[in-house]
Amino acid sequence: MRIERLAVVGVGLIGGSFAAALKEAGGVGRVVGVGRGRANLDQALRLGIIDEIASDPALGVRDADFVLLAMPVGQMGTAMAAIAPALAPHAVVTDAGSTKRDVVANAYAHLASALDRFVPAHPIAGSEKTGAGAAAATLFRDRNVILTPLAENTEQAVARVRGAWLACGARVTEMSAADHDRTLGVVSHLPHVLAFALVDLVARHRDAERLFALAAGGFRDFTRIASSSPEMWRDICVANRDALAEVLATYRRELDDLTTMLERADAAALERLFTRARDAREAWMRGNGGTSS
Amino acid sequence: MRIERLAVVGVGLIGGSFAAALKEAGGVGRVVGVGRGRANLDQALRLGIIDEIASDPALGVRDADFVLLAMPVGQMGTAMAAIAPALAPHAVVTDAGSTKRDVVANAYAHLASALDRFVPAHPIAGSEKTGAGAAAATLFRDRNVILTPLAENTEQAVARVRGAWLACGARVTEMSAADHDRTLGVVSHLPHVLAFALVDLVARHRDAERLFALAAGGFRDFTRIASSSPEMWRDICVANRDALAEVLATYRRELDDLTTMLERADAAALERLFTRARDAREAWMRGNGGTSS
């Protein structure tokens, strides 16, 4: 299962950490990095995350037996079209995109010749940090990686992708692309847009200066994810806009209920809601919430 | 300015930390603790946060020259009524309530004989943790404490309360109770109810188990404040319900705009909003956001 030659297209936090983790595990021979930012690739080379730089995706994936596409999902189609003609017949391809239905659709459009061995995946890890400089061999340890295999995938291709993520220390599960997008829409995409929206509200407020001056630790943690890459989150929101709009509507109904409780000064209803939420979060933290994700 | 005998009514995270900080600074002689939970008071005594326990508020404040009321704001009126007859003529009284207009109204109703020396205050510190066991002498260091003095306050009373908080290492500012409640409504109360609402949405979802299983670090930090005391936040929401409902309405309009952007797949508008928020947060973190609050 060892990877002889790994091509990482997009050597950012995720792509760089994947290469670093496989190197640390002895699971890869040589790593070639492809990307738009030369300074970032040079840094990855200096850090030993990659062994060589390829100037374009087609050159980069030539001779690779494993290819990881790790760019914002809005660039996935272009990247697939660029590598498709150059892929070796035995190469397995996967991605690290935060949404899966759009990546699958792009694969059908731009990677039709390799549907047997393109295995979509999403490592649920990362942070608001970006770039190869933030990469870490430990990033995926005990984190969830979701595979959404295609009907066309060979068992061998799925096993190779699964094996690579296991070698990174991750826990690998499988589900449909639709289930993935609905699930992540609730627990990841929704909180991100809620955090962006709150900071935007404060920033545009007439008393913004005073508001920021008195914002404290609760605000800081709540909005940490609003320091995430706007480009990446633009792509995620556009790709998953139907599932996200649906859960946003549910959330707005939740806020409607809260508003009614406030208008009625319904202390008992507010306490019930807060207690339910507090208890659910504490149960989650006692499980895997605190340590593994 | 040294406090000879401090009475802390409500020896929780805030009350306990106030006593601990003053003790460490050599700013207090003896501390008497008053509260409903005997186990909590015993722990405070063992930890050296308080020196004695009083069984009821009136006994506790007798002979004290400084009184801190540090219970959830819903209990403030009752506490004021209980201590009013027993207050020494030279005693200064302050509170640590998270809302200020309701505390002021309670003071006019229940502490009318001491309006010259009841100085409302709010230390913007704390966490989702509760109880004397979580108290720390360093809790208020470099944190903001807001005073909302009454027109009736003597300069001396304001100076004593200010001095006590400065001795705890805090930064002290003044504003009106209305400005306080509007400001905290945006940067504290709103994110708390948004976090409670998100966890509640997930907990009530038909796929709750899968959702929690795949929730990661972003969700954990966003919802940390949803582990806060339901009782305390019920009181805050009821006390500040008009300001909170107003900013909730503004926030729902922000979500309406976001929904429109999603429906239109308006990538440029989404990226503008996310960039504006990211830049504002980063600027805040470069200022005092990262370290001092």
Side-chain angles (χ1 to χ4, degrees):
Chain A
M1 295 279 281
R2 188 164 186 274
I3 297 168
E4 294 306 323
R5 187 175 171 84
L6 167 67
V8 176
V9 188
V11 190
L13 172 68
I14 299 296
S17 296
F18 182 76
L22 285 177
K23 285 199 162 197
E24 191 173 280
V28 66
R30 203 162 168 79
V31 180
V32 53
V34 186
R36 293 179 306 174
R38 183 70 199 200
N40 179 65
L41 289 172
D42 285 339
Q43 187 179 19
L45 202 59
R46 275 198 310 277
L47 292 169
I49 293 170
I50 60 175
D51 303 300
E52 56 187 276
I53 293 172
S55 56
D56 80 80
L59 284 173
V61 304
R62 191 182 310 276
D63 304 325
D65 56 328
F66 199 108
V67 177
L68 173 70
L69 304 176
M71 67 282 297
V73 287
Q75 299 161 35
M76 209 61 86
T78 307
M80 287 173 174
I83 65 165
L87 275 179
H90 65 294
V92 165
V93 186
T94 187
D95 76 300
S98 306
T99 49
K100 294 272 67 78
R101 285 174 303 162
D102 65 311
V103 169
V104 169
N106 271 311
Y108 281 99
H110 302 296
L111 213 54
S113 59
L115 293 178
D116 56 332
R117 52 215 167 86
F118 172 67
V119 184
H122 177 204
I124 305 182
S127 75
E128 75 281 14
K129 303 201 182 77
T130 56
T138 55
L139 186 67
F140 305 114
R141 205 163 285 169
D142 296 323
R143 305 302 163 99
N144 289 297
V145 173
I146 300 175
L147 307 186
T148 66
L150 307 182
E152 292 84 350
N153 284 168
T154 63
E155 273 183 41
Q156 190 197 10
V158 176
R160 286 204 76 194
V161 172
R162 173 186 287 270
W165 283 113
L166 291 174
C168 294
R171 296 185 299 210
V172 181
T173 54
E174 288 184 22
M175 63 180 68
S176 72
D179 279 348
H180 169 278
D181 287 0
R182 262 196 304 270
T183 303
L184 273 291
V186 179
V187 297
S188 172
H189 310 169
L190 177 60
H192 274 82
V193 301
L194 296 179
F196 279 124
L198 178 66
V199 178
D200 189 48
L201 182 157
V202 174
R204 297 199 293 158
H205 199 284
R206 63 181 185 282
D207 292 327
E209 201 176 338
R210 167 188 277 170
L211 292 171
F212 277 123
L214 295 176
F219 183 86
R220 185 187 58 229
D221 291 352
F222 183 94
T223 62
R224 178 179 65 79
I225 50 182
S227 284
S228 303
S229 158
E231 182 188 25
M232 176 179 159
W233 282 93
R234 172 203 66 193
D235 286 0
I236 290 171
C237 289
V238 171
N240 202 29
R241 62 186 179 277
D242 55 349
L244 180 52
E246 190 185 317
V247 69
L248 249 178
T250 306
Y251 188 76
R252 286 154 78 207
R253 283 193 296 276
E254 183 100 20
L255 295 188
D256 290 344
D257 292 348
L258 252 168
T259 301
T260 304
M261 294 173 198
L262 290 172
E263 285 168 352
R264 292 180 184 163
D266 189 344
L270 288 165
E271 187 175 0
R272 272 196 304 276
L273 192 162
F274 296 165
T275 302
R276 205 160 57 212
R278 195 265 318 261
D279 291 351
R281 185 175 187 278
E282 291 297 293
W284 176 65
M285 292 292 286
R286 281 193 301 274
N288 71 352
T291 55
S292 67
S293 43
Chain B
M1 296 277 282
R2 189 164 184 275
I3 298 167
E4 294 305 326
R5 186 175 172 85
L6 167 67
V8 176
V9 187
V11 190
L13 172 68
I14 300 297
S17 296
F18 182 76
L22 285 177
K23 285 199 161 196
E24 192 174 279
V28 66
R30 202 161 170 81
V31 180
V32 54
V34 187
R36 293 178 305 172
R38 182 71 199 201
N40 180 65
L41 289 172
D42 285 339
Q43 186 178 21
L45 202 59
R46 274 198 310 277
L47 292 169
I49 294 170
I50 60 176
D51 303 300
E52 56 187 276
I53 293 173
S55 56
D56 82 81
L59 284 173
V61 304
R62 190 181 311 276
D63 302 325
D65 56 329
F66 199 107
V67 177
L68 173 69
L69 304 175
M71 67 281 299
V73 287
Q75 300 161 34
M76 208 63 84
T78 307
M80 288 173 173
I83 66 166
L87 275 178
H90 64 294
V92 165
V93 185
T94 186
D95 76 300
S98 306
T99 49
K100 294 272 69 81
R101 286 174 302 162
D102 65 312
V103 169
V104 169
N106 271 311
Y108 281 99
H110 302 294
L111 213 53
S113 58
L115 293 178
D116 56 332
R117 52 213 167 87
F118 171 67
V119 185
H122 176 205
I124 305 182
S127 74
E128 75 281 14
K129 303 201 181 78
T130 55
T138 56
L139 185 68
F140 306 114
R141 204 162 288 168
D142 297 324
R143 306 301 162 100
N144 288 297
V145 173
I146 301 175
L147 307 186
T148 64
L150 308 181
E152 292 84 350
N153 284 168
T154 64
E155 272 183 43
Q156 191 196 9
V158 176
R160 285 204 75 193
V161 172
R162 173 185 287 271
W165 284 113
L166 290 174
C168 294
R171 298 184 299 211
V172 181
T173 54
E174 287 183 23
M175 61 181 69
S176 72
D179 279 347
H180 170 278
D181 288 0
R182 263 196 303 271
T183 302
L184 273 291
V186 180
V187 298
S188 172
H189 310 169
L190 177 61
H192 274 81
V193 301
L194 296 178
F196 280 123
L198 178 66
V199 179
D200 189 48
L201 182 156
V202 173
R204 297 200 293 158
H205 199 285
R206 63 180 186 281
D207 293 325
E209 201 176 337
R210 168 189 275 169
L211 293 171
F212 277 123
L214 295 176
F219 183 86
R220 184 187 60 230
D221 291 352
F222 183 95
T223 61
R224 178 178 65 78
I225 50 182
S227 284
S228 302
S229 158
E231 181 188 27
M232 175 178 160
W233 282 93
R234 171 202 67 193
D235 286 0
I236 290 172
C237 289
V238 170
N240 202 29
R241 60 187 181 276
D242 54 349
L244 180 53
E246 190 184 318
V247 70
L248 249 179
T250 307
Y251 188 76
R252 285 154 77 206
R253 283 194 293 277
E254 185 101 19
L255 294 188
D256 291 342
D257 292 347
L258 251 168
T259 302
T260 304
M261 293 174 199
L262 290 173
E263 286 167 352
R264 292 180 184 162
D266 190 343
L270 288 165
E271 187 174 1
R272 272 196 304 275
L273 192 161
F274 297 165
T275 303
R276 204 160 59 213
R278 194 266 317 261
D279 291 351
R281 186 175 187 278
E282 290 298 292
W284 175 65
M285 291 291 287
R286 281 193 301 274
N288 71 351
T291 54
S292 66
S293 44

